[in-house]
Amino acid sequence: MDYQHILETVWRDIQPYARLGQQADYIPALARVNPDQSGICLKTLDGRTCSVGDADVRFSIQSISKVFSLALALHFEGENLWTRMGREPSGTAFNSLVQLEYEHGIPRNPLINAGALVTADILLDHLPGDPEQFYIDFLRTLCGSPDIDYNTEVAASEQSCGYMNAAIANLLKHYGNIHGDLDRVMRLYFMMCSVEMSCRELAQAFIPLANHHQPFCFAGIDLTTSQIKRMNAIMQTCGFYDEAGEFSYLVGLPGKSGVGGGIAAICPMRYTIAVWSPRLNAKGNSILGMKALELFTTLTAESIF
Ligand code: GLU
């Protein structure tokens, strides 16, 4: 399969959508990003890399970070994790409060904000030293780039107006599902969201998820093949806020999006693909990113279905 040629076709065909949508502006630092940048990077399990556009420009991974924190939490807690959160699609916005109240402080899944805040609390329990350092070292090992880092300006910017996340964290604390200090939990959460990576780095970091016949073993974090299968299942059902069904229908790959405009997805035993374009649809997913992936799996006929 000539993936480079297919990516170039996809790239050409998505250009009419390039000006649709708006970048996230509820985080002031993200509102300042130039929205007219975009890129795609594909990596195959047999070692090929193909890319188009700004595939090497780093951007805020935001909620894609929830996949990496889930990997850590599964390593530390195993099945016990599911006493603190569910693994069902939420069908509501990523920062919804209502469902959390109905369900007595048990987040629907680890890929919405409530779940990721509980995950941050769990990581603080298991990483008493410097959890931020541990997390970034883990990501550096995963993507093979020793210089990826947090953007502390983005983290501070989000913290300065993170009223909704503070409300979620307070509700979780009320129901006893956050054990540690609330400010500390939110600080780690915002820092993890602020990490900047390129499409190329994200595509590399997702390789172990695509290669799910091999156990995961990076920077001292081990996951069994069965745990990787379950992570992919959660991405498939919960990775796109209240648009997980639509992404599954249009694209047919497990993946995760973030409000920075990134989407990373995998095709089991074949490839990983990361797309970035900051302009989002009303559900918070990258318009160009979704369109690119829809076209890509249509042209290649390679999805999980
Ligand atoms: N840091 C963002 C928030 O908590 C992440 C949202 C996202 O990418 O879905 O609102």
Side-chain angles (χ1 to χ4, degrees), residues 234-272:
I234 292 169
M235 287 201 292
Q236 183 71 32
T237 52
C238 311
F240 294 85
Y241 318 122
D242 41 348
E243 213 172 23
E246 186 71 357
F247 188 83
S248 209
Y249 177 81
L250 294 175
V251 178
L253 297 175
K256 182 71 196 94
S257 63
V259 295
I263 300 178
I266 64 136
C267 188
M269 300 316 296
R270 287 181 187 266
Y271 62 80
T272 63

Side-chain angles (χ1 to χ4, degrees), residues 63 66 88-99 108-109 111-113 234-250 255-259 280-286 290:
S63 273
K66 294 175 169 87
E88 289 291 345
S90 67
T92 57
F94 61 94
N95 55 4
S96 171
L97 267 175
V98 179
Q99 190 171 58
R108 268 290 170 101
N109 67 66
L111 300 184
I112 53 172
N113 290 14
I234 292 169
M235 287 201 292
Q236 183 71 32
T237 52
C238 311
F240 294 85
Y241 318 122
D242 41 348
E243 213 172 23
E246 186 71 357
F247 188 83
S248 209
Y249 177 81
L250 294 175
K256 182 71 196 94
S257 63
V259 295
L280 309 178
N281 65 18
K283 307 275 189 185
N285 293 312
S286 168
M290 285 193 54

Side-chain angles (χ1 to χ4, degrees), residues 47-82:
R48 285 175 285 166
T49 301
C50 307
S51 63
V52 287
D54 303 312
D56 290 303
V57 177
R58 289 182 176 154
F59 59 90
S60 198
I61 67 169
Q62 292 297 319
S63 273
I64 301 172
S65 65
K66 294 175 169 87
V67 174
F68 305 123
S69 50
L70 171 61
L72 294 176
L74 269 177
H75 164 82
F76 288 125
E77 291 282 328
E79 286 296 294
N80 209 26
L81 182 63
W82 308 118

Side-chain angles (χ1 to χ4, degrees), residues 116-176:
L117 284 159
V118 172
T119 304
D121 184 51
I122 289 169
L123 297 187
L124 287 168
D125 254 358
H126 286 278
L127 300 167
D130 186 342
E132 277 84 0
Q133 191 62 49
F134 187 95
Y135 182 81
I136 201 71
D137 285 344
F138 173 57
L139 261 58
R140 286 173 179 163
T141 308
L142 256 186
C143 72
S145 296
D147 64 340
I148 62 158
D149 218 336
Y150 299 106
N151 182 327
T152 50
E153 191 198 328
V154 170
S157 170
E158 185 167 4
Q159 184 134 27
S160 73
C161 54
Y163 306 114
M164 195 58 123
N165 282 316
I168 293 171
N170 275 282
L171 204 55
L172 289 165
K173 186 81 177 169
H174 168 80
Y175 283 110

